[in-house]
Each structure stands twice: as C-alpha cells, then as structure tokens.
Amino acid sequence: MNIGVDIGGTNLRAGIESGGSITWQNKTLLENKHSLPSTLNQLMELIRPFTKYPVKGIGIGVPSVVDVSKGIVYNVMNIPSWEEVALRDIVQNEFNLPVSINNDVNCFILGEHRFGLARKYSSVVGMAIGTGLGSGIIINNQLYTGRNCGAGEIGMLPYKDSILENYVCNRFFESSLGMGAFDAHVAARNGNKKAIKVWKDFGVHLGAVVKAIMYTYDPEAIVLGGSIAKANRFFQESMLHSLKDFAYPESLRKLTLLLSENENIALLGAAALLDD
C-alpha cells in the first residue's frame, strides 16, 4: 500500500492505493495560498491520518516543474507561495517515509498505464484538459519526464497567434463565449447553437494537439482526461475530421483514442511513483 497525493490549485486530495484501487481518500480546500507554512501545514494534516496504516511510502503529484531527483517543486500553478519548495525532504522528515514527487499530469498517465485504460500499451500519451493543457508520456512502459520534468508540454507550442494551450483549455471558452467550459457544456446540452459551434471549433484545435503528439511521439494510444474531456460528444466529430490531413494516415489508423474514466487515476498514479 502507498499513499497517493494530488495537489491542485483549489483542492488537496490524498488516498491509499491497495490492489489497484483507492481504498480510502479525503480532500480539503486549499486555503491561504500566499502562505507557505499554512499550505504545508494543510498538506501534512491531510496526509497524517493515512500514515497510521502500514503504507510503504508517499507519492505526490504537483502542477509544476519538478526536480524529480531532489524532490524540489518550482512555481506551482495557482499556489503563489510555492516558488521553490523542497517538498520531498519536508514530507519525509515529517512522516519518516519514502516520498516521490512528480508532475500531476505525469501521475495521471502513470495511473492509466498501471491501473487504467492504457495498461496494454507500451507507448501512450495522456492529456489533461481543464484550466490548462498538460501532457504525460509513457515510452517503452516507462514514464518519460525529460531532464527537467518538462517533457510533453505540447500546449506551449506556437499555434495561430498564440500557443496551443490557449485554444485547448478553459480560457478558450472564456474568450469565445464569455463563460467557462462547464457553463459552455451546459449551454451546448441545452441546445445553444453558439456554444455548440464553439465546441466544434474546440475540436479542431484539439485535433491540432493530437497531430503534434503524433508527429512528436507516435504513440500507440492517447488518453484524454480532465474536466473538459467529459464534453467529448460535442467535440469528438470535429476533432476526428480535423485529423484527415495528417501526413501519415496509416499511423493514424493504428492510433487508439481513449477517454479517461477513473476519477481517482491521478491518485493511483501518484501512489505508483514509489514503484516506478
């Protein structure tokens, strides 16, 4: 058994992985994000009850660049006080347990590969589409993070007048509709024609991301996750249509596109960091 922790800009979640499932979990709203001592104390108090069980260690997913070898996190998204935090040492000293830390989207795809939809694939890319656009990569059954844990940042590639991420995340709906993706999804379900059109446009932009992944990594499968992926029925057709000009149709024919199903997959992936 390992403890998995998922740090977000709004919530902190933790749970115990046992037999490929999260057997017990808890979450708390992250408060006072401008105070490092306060946020660290919240994290410790969330983890503490789980350490009473015979766990082997603690795996933590963080929305940031991570020095994996040293366990240092930098410029954590939406937590201003976490500019440079030696998180591994802090947590290890508190609980006297082995700790492993990685990017949150890397945890997402590691969870899918170990316990979820991507178990049968040796090369797979996961995309988390929500507030931003993140990607995680498995190559030859191993998590690939790059030297600085920055591999897979497809969203930072130039696209149109900006970067891909600005067209494939919540900001796209805010700029196009004046509302977030959740409300845009509700509007589309209610038959709002403008919202439906924006979702179709979103699918075209997402197709550009899929093509970038294919040209760069040529994986067996791509897993779509994150809150926005739940609206796939409104963007799937236009996304697939936009792939028709892909230069290597045989490679595209062999590609499997999957939609993440397990709400706990990032926790499972964080817990799996101890065994990776």
Side-chain angles (χ1 to χ4, degrees):
M1 294 193 301
N2 293 322
I3 298 171
V5 181
D6 183 26
I7 295 177
T10 303
N11 295 304
L12 303 174
R13 298 174 65 214
I16 291 180
E17 181 276 319
S18 179
S21 298
I22 297 297
T23 58
W24 174 41
Q25 65 173 295
N26 204 352
K27 74 175 182 179
T28 186
L29 181 68
L30 186 61
E31 300 173 342
N32 200 11
K33 293 187 281 188
H34 289 275
S35 168
L36 179 60
S38 175
T39 50
L40 287 175
N41 182 65
Q42 270 198 279
L43 178 63
M44 300 307 169
E45 292 310 305
L46 178 68
I47 295 172
R48 195 175 310 282
F50 298 99
T51 62
K52 298 175 183 178
Y53 294 83
V55 295
K56 295 185 295 182
I58 305 167
I60 304 176
V62 186
S64 71
V65 172
V66 180
D67 185 328
V68 175
S69 63
K70 296 180 180 179
I72 300 173
V73 302
Y74 297 93
N75 306 116
V76 177
M77 186 181 299
N78 296 318
I79 309 179
S81 59
W82 287 34
E83 294 182 358
E84 181 178 338
V85 183
L87 191 59
R88 185 188 64 190
D89 290 348
I90 292 169
V91 178
Q92 280 185 170
N93 291 339
E94 181 72 19
F95 298 114
N96 195 29
L97 285 168
V99 175
S100 185
I101 298 174
N102 215 303
N103 174 268
D104 58 342
V105 187
N106 289 339
C107 291
F108 161 69
I109 193 56
L110 183 61
E112 290 288 5
H113 185 251
R114 294 291 175 83
F115 306 110
L117 300 177
R119 279 176 289 186
K120 66 179 182 179
Y121 301 104
S122 63
S123 62
V124 59
V125 173
M127 278 195 287
I129 313 167
T131 304
L133 171 66
S135 301
I137 307 156
I138 300 287
I139 298 176
N140 294 329
N141 293 310
Q142 296 294 318
L143 182 64
Y144 178 74
T145 63
R147 181 178 181 181
N148 301 298
C149 201
E153 292 296 338
I154 300 296
M156 296 296 106
L157 292 176
Y159 182 67
K160 295 186 178 293
D161 61 341
S162 183
I163 57 175
L164 276 167
E165 182 176 70
N166 287 333
Y167 288 86
V168 189
C169 74
N170 190 66
R171 288 191 295 277
F172 175 70
F173 297 93
E174 292 175 338
S175 61
S176 301
L177 285 171
M179 63 179 72
F182 178 84
D183 290 332
H185 189 190
V186 172
R189 290 203 309 265
N190 290 335
N192 183 296
K193 291 182 179 179
K194 185 176 181 181
I196 292 170
K197 170 64 166 56
V198 169
W199 277 107
K200 289 181 178 178
D201 292 343
F202 173 86
V204 174
H205 302 314
L206 181 56
V209 179
V210 172
K211 285 185 279 190
I213 289 173
M214 288 297 292
Y215 286 130
T216 307
Y217 301 108
D218 190 23
E220 297 171 86
I222 295 174
V223 185
L224 302 181
S227 57
I228 292 178
K230 296 174 182 177
N232 69 301
R233 74 182 180 99
F234 291 106
F235 64 74
Q236 183 170 328
E237 183 178 351
S238 60
M239 178 189 70
L240 294 174
H241 187 266
S242 73
L243 300 177
K244 291 186 180 298
D245 64 351
F246 186 72
Y248 308 115
E250 182 61 19
S251 298
L252 197 61
R253 186 187 66 80
K254 295 177 181 178
L255 175 69
T256 300
L257 289 170
L258 302 164
L259 188 66
S260 184
E261 300 171 346
N262 191 332
E263 295 289 338
N264 293 323
I265 206 68
L267 283 179
L268 289 167
L273 291 172
L274 279 303
D275 304 318
D276 192 47

